[in-house]
Amino acid sequence: MERVARIAPSIGAAAAVILAVGLYLGLVAAPPDAVMGELQRIMYLHVPSIVTAYLAFTVVFCASMLYLWKRDLRFDAVAVSSAEIGVVFTGITLATGSIWGKPTWGVWWTWDARLTLTAILFTIYVGYLMLRAFAEDPRAAARYGAVLAIIGFLDIPLNHFAVYWWRTLHQPSSLLRAGGPSVARAMLVPLLVNMLGLMLLYAYFLVRRVQLERVRHRILEGRLRRGRRG
Amino acid sequence: MGSWGFIGLAYGVAAVAILTFFVLLRRRLRGAAEELAALERDGGRRTP
């Protein structure tokens, strides 16, 4: 972990550079959409945000499974850290989607299956963080949290396929779909660059957040030792 | 509000969210590191 923490500034710097390039490509270089015009540029932020959130919650799911199996708090530290970052990116997805929805659909919000399931995803992981904050024993927090995270993860495939299973206002996936992306190359490149940038930013945040969790564990151990010594 | 207004709002909201998380994370890390250092100093004084 120490070795990873040492390269964290490089990961952060790489994320900043790639995001700057992605912003230029998305806001300046990419052509406007034939139907939506300039508004479609919100896609270069909206789609990478939800893909990064999916990545974050997948890490939470894997780390939670590993915690329940090995009962090692290091896995729990990764799970809680990744959940917090996932909530931030899901929040960004909801906000940018709503801002995109207003001029496109005429409303800030509608109870469409995709939107509702994304809001549920956000609520599940906010609930996960609250549950952990209220549990006094770290091992109990880790155990309850892991169970909730594993159940909550089921919302992701449901959310992804919602646009195919139900009639929704939200368009079907144009990136993660059978047969490959349906996006034109001039739009696909900025999308992928921004996705890489946000994933690197996620990696940077994860390393730093896990660092914080480890320091908190050491503080707790220190307090317990002091308590035992009287 | 025109198209660019909505685009600016979307990117602005995202930038504020990311920067706020970044600043708060740094502040929490610094606070925790200071607390740990104080705890270790105290522990060191108590150890004979």
Side-chain angles (χ1 to χ4, degrees):
Chain A
M1 186 64 208
E2 270 67 32
R3 203 179 306 156
V4 181
R6 263 200 300 267
I7 60 162
S10 313
I11 300 174
V17 171
I18 291 172
L19 282 174
V21 173
L23 274 177
Y24 170 75
L25 292 175
L27 293 176
V28 181
D33 183 68
V35 180
M36 275 187 271
E38 304 289 357
L39 252 186
Q40 179 268 347
R41 295 183 193 277
I42 297 176
M43 176 188 78
Y44 303 118
L45 175 62
H46 180 70
V47 176
S49 297
I50 192 62
V51 174
T52 309
Y54 282 175
L55 169 71
F57 295 136
T58 306
V59 170
V60 180
F61 174 77
C62 295
S64 299
M65 295 280 272
L66 283 168
Y67 174 75
L68 289 180
W69 181 29
K70 302 275 186 188
R71 301 286 165 159
D72 185 337
L73 281 173
R74 281 178 299 183
F75 292 121
D76 178 61
V78 173
V80 68
S81 304
S82 192
E84 207 174 277
I85 306 162
V87 164
V88 173
F89 282 107
T90 312
I92 291 173
T93 306
L94 285 169
T96 54
S98 175
I99 294 165
W100 196 359
K102 178 62 182 164
T104 314
W105 300 332
V107 286
W108 293 102
W109 182 263
T110 178
W111 295 103
D112 164 279
R114 169 61 70 84
L115 274 69
T116 306
L117 285 166
T118 309
I120 290 173
L121 185 71
F122 180 75
T123 313
I124 288 171
Y125 286 95
V126 168
Y128 167 90
L129 295 173
M130 286 171 71
L131 173 78
R132 300 188 55 107
F134 288 125
E136 282 182 17
D137 175 18
R139 292 211 172 260
R143 201 168 55 246
Y144 300 149
V147 173
L148 179 58
I150 291 165
I151 297 168
F153 184 76
L154 293 176
D155 188 80
I156 291 181
L158 205 62
N159 194 5
H160 183 71
F161 291 108
V163 286
Y164 303 106
W165 292 342
W166 293 289
R167 285 178 63 182
T168 62
L169 257 181
H170 196 284
Q171 68 172 74
S173 299
S174 43
L175 201 64
L176 304 171
R177 63 191 278 276
S182 60
V183 184
R185 194 184 163 84
M187 293 173 170
L188 185 63
V189 172
L191 194 61
L192 294 178
V193 170
N194 277 321
M195 209 171 281
L196 176 66
L198 282 192
M199 282 179 182
L200 281 171
L201 187 65
Y202 160 75
Y204 170 77
F205 281 156
L206 184 65
V207 173
R208 289 295 189 218
R209 183 60 184 79
V210 170
Q211 242 182 329
L212 172 64
E213 209 57 30
R214 288 176 63 129
V215 174
R216 281 179 173 170
H217 284 170
R218 285 175 63 189
I219 291 171
L220 205 66
E221 282 166 11
R223 280 188 191 147
L224 283 173
R225 265 200 307 275
R226 273 177 66 171
R228 267 190 232 118
R229 270 193 243 138
Chain B
M1 187 158 44
S3 293
W4 282 102
F6 283 106
I7 295 168
L9 184 62
Y11 280 81
V13 166
V16 168
I18 288 170
L19 282 175
T20 306
F21 184 75
F22 174 68
V23 170
L24 290 179
L25 182 59
R26 278 185 69 138
R27 199 177 292 172
R28 284 192 292 171
L29 249 173
R30 199 175 308 138
E34 281 169 8
E35 195 181 340
L36 180 66
L39 203 67
E40 282 174 349
R41 268 199 311 273
D42 271 13
R45 271 205 293 272
R46 279 175 181 221
T47 311

